[in-house]
Amino acid sequence: MWLFNSSIGRKVVMSLTGVALILFLTFHASMNVVALFSAEGYNLICEFLGANWYALVATMGLAALAVFHIVYAFILTAQNRRARGNSRYEVTAKPGKVEWASQNMLVLGLIILLGLALHLFNFWYNMMFAELSGISVPHSPSDGYAYIQDTFSCPVYVVLYIVWLAAIWFHLSHGFWSAMQTLGWSGKTWFCRWKVIGIAYTTLLMLAFLVVVLYFACCGSCCGSCC
C-alpha cells in the first residue's frame, strides 16, 4: 500500500498522525487549564477519564498514533540521510529558526519522547495504570489535582517540563505547516499563512501548558512534596 511503502505515503502518515496528536494536545491543554480554577472540576474530568472502557480505547488509539508517528519519523530520517549520503557532512550556513527546527526534528523528537516518558510516570502510572492494576499510590487515582501539586512542587520537574514544552514548541512550529504542505493544503497564498497560523496556535497551546506548570510551581503546590 502506497501509504506505507512510498516516501510520499510515509509523509502523509506522519502528517495525519501529527495533526491528530495536535488535536489531543489541544484537549489536554484545555483540561489542564480547568485545574487553575477548580480542583473539584479537574478531578471530575480525571474521574471521567479513568479506567473506563472508552478512556482505555482512546488511550490505546492515542498510543497507536504516537507509535506510528515516532516509527515513521525514524524511517523518514534514515531515508533522508541515505539520500544525502556524504553531502550531509558538507559545511553549510546556519539556518534560521524554522529551518533549525526542520534540521533537528529528530533531536527534538527524542527530547519530546523522554519528556513523554517522564509525564507518563508522573501521571498515567499513578492514575489510570494504578486504577487498573490496584497498585499502591500516594493519592487516589482520580485525584489528578494532587498529582499536579506533587509534580510541580519539585523544581527539577518544573525545569524538565519547561525544556520539554520548549522542544514541543519547536517541533510543532515546523510540523504544523509542514503537515499542511504535505496534505496539499498549502498553495502559494497559504504557505506563509499556515506558517503564521502554526506558530500562533503552537505558542498559545504551549502557553496553556506552561501557565499550569508555573502556577503550581509558584503558588499552587503548598501541599506537594518536593524532590
Side-chain angles (χ1 to χ4, degrees), residues 35-158:
L36 298 175
F37 304 98
S38 172
E40 294 77 13
Y42 181 77
N43 284 342
L44 281 175
I45 298 174
C46 292
E47 186 175 357
F48 177 75
L49 297 175
N52 305 298
W53 69 267
Y54 47 83
L56 292 174
V57 171
T59 299
M60 288 187 289
L62 180 63
L65 286 172
V67 168
F68 268 104
H69 195 76
I70 293 166
V71 169
Y72 273 74
F74 279 103
I75 291 174
L76 287 171
T77 299
Q79 178 181 302
N80 291 338
R81 285 180 179 273
R82 285 197 302 269
R84 287 198 303 267
N86 293 331
S87 65
R88 68 178 182 271
Y89 299 109
E90 295 176 0
V91 177
T92 57
K94 291 184 179 180
K97 287 184 178 179
V98 174
E99 288 74 16
W100 181 90
S102 176
Q103 293 286 330
N104 293 276
M105 288 295 273
L106 182 61
V107 175
L108 291 170
L110 289 173
I111 295 173
I112 292 170
L113 191 58
L114 291 174
L116 178 61
L118 176 65
H119 188 64
L120 290 174
F121 172 75
N122 285 331
F123 293 97
W124 181 81
Y125 174 80
N126 287 302
M127 297 173 73
M128 182 178 282
F129 181 78
E131 188 174 347
L132 287 170
S133 63
I135 61 173
S136 178
V137 288
H139 309 286
S140 167
S142 62
D143 193 357
Y145 194 86
Y147 287 111
I148 292 180
Q149 287 181 315
D150 284 355
T151 300
F152 299 125
S153 67
C154 176
V156 174
Y157 282 153
V158 171

Side-chain angles (χ1 to χ4, degrees), residues 152 155-169 206 210 213-214 217:
F152 299 125
V156 174
Y157 282 153
V158 171
V159 172
L160 290 176
Y161 269 82
I162 291 174
V163 171
W164 185 38
L165 292 175
I168 295 175
W169 185 89
M206 293 302 103
L210 183 62
V213 173
L214 296 180

